[in-house]
Amino acid sequence: MLAPEPFFEPRGTPFSEYHRIKALGDLGHRVDLVTYPIGRDVPLPNLRIFRSPGLPFVKKVPIGPSFTKLALDGLMLLTIMRRVMSVRYDAIHSHEEMGVVGVWLSKLLGLPHLYDMHSSLPQQLSNFKYSRSAVLRRLFALAEDRMVHGSDVVVTICQELQDTVTAMGVGERALLIENVMGGDVDEAPSRPAAEIRTAWGIAADAPLALYTGTFEAYQGVEMLIEAAAILGRSRPHARVLVVGGEPQQVDRARGLARELGAADVVVFTGQQPAREIPSFVQACDVLVSPRIRGTNTPLKIYSYLRSGKPIVATDLLTHTQVLTPDIAALVAPEPEAFAEALAHLLDKPRERTALAARARAVADAKYSRESYVRRTAQAYARLSNGAPGQASSSIPVAER
């Protein structure tokens, strides 16, 4: 398995990789993971981690495209070649841009290849505002086309990506496996919710909304702070707890909160251990996802659905592939609309309870862990039945 990310770090794609490996181990597969030199080892059955050489002074890897990632990908290739020259593998499973290497190795070694498609590479350029270069966008599109057409199986993590692969003419190779496993890499803590509120100076009776995640521009954290400022003017007792962000990002966000007069409303915790997140969730009244760009469903949405807490999210494809007005409050990606939705739910405990109950019922019916493992098994059944470079035709239509 080729994973061009810091593994493990508590963020989207590494979480997805973790749970994919865990499911494969539960199914009896043994995985040799080649990844960056950055991240912490995690104990998983049937997993060995092989780290590539590092770059001097590089201790963090930014999310999204970067020259740092490009250099680390080159170093990863050295470790990958050492592995394939010493072990005869049964299959290659690649994530993100390493699909280019995976397809090449598949042809070179005559091995089946599975491409784990977490996002559209050309779309990353706009999501992360990395570059407006038409040439670079074209290169990303060509790489994506090569990875999708050159793989035996393509796993997509949301309906938008499934539609993208289908539009490319190879939908029969694609299998949709939503990231329903969530971010619970460690056991949920026994830390009570009241302790979370006390630790961050939030009154026991204060209406509380919670954001967890990164501070990348597409996440809409700035919009959330603007909404919090509006909320604070009518409900000064309310609080918005924001978990995540690099120290410099948190400092900038605090500055914006002060500038908007929301310093007393928004509470920033910085990054917290993944095992603590369930306690933060239980301490709040409302969960928020204020994304303003992108189409991939946030991984946290699936665990939010199971949480017993209501969700306020922007009414964009990134959310509406999974969320509907019946199970979440969906609003325009604007501060005023978001603040109004927060105020409404924070004032209506019965409505919060009903919304959360319907969300949990949908999660139990459509996004179970059993379904995740079963579909992972289907993906590998296709992989083992197909010839390298060709989609499998031996899986019954009902399983597709």
Side-chain angles (χ1 to χ4, degrees), residues 30 36 40 51 62 78-79 100 126-127 146 205 215 271 283 309 312 354 398:
R30 291 178 295 168
Y36 286 172
R40 66 178 175 89
R51 298 192 179 276
L78 300 176
T79 304
V100 173
S126 57
N127 283 353
R146 177 61 176 160
D205 61 345
F215 277 36
Q271 293 181 349
K309 302 290 182 176
V312 176

Side-chain angles (χ1 to χ4, degrees), residues 14 60 64 67 107 189 208 371:
K60 297 285 290 185
F67 286 111
K107 309 306 179 191
L208 181 62
S371 172

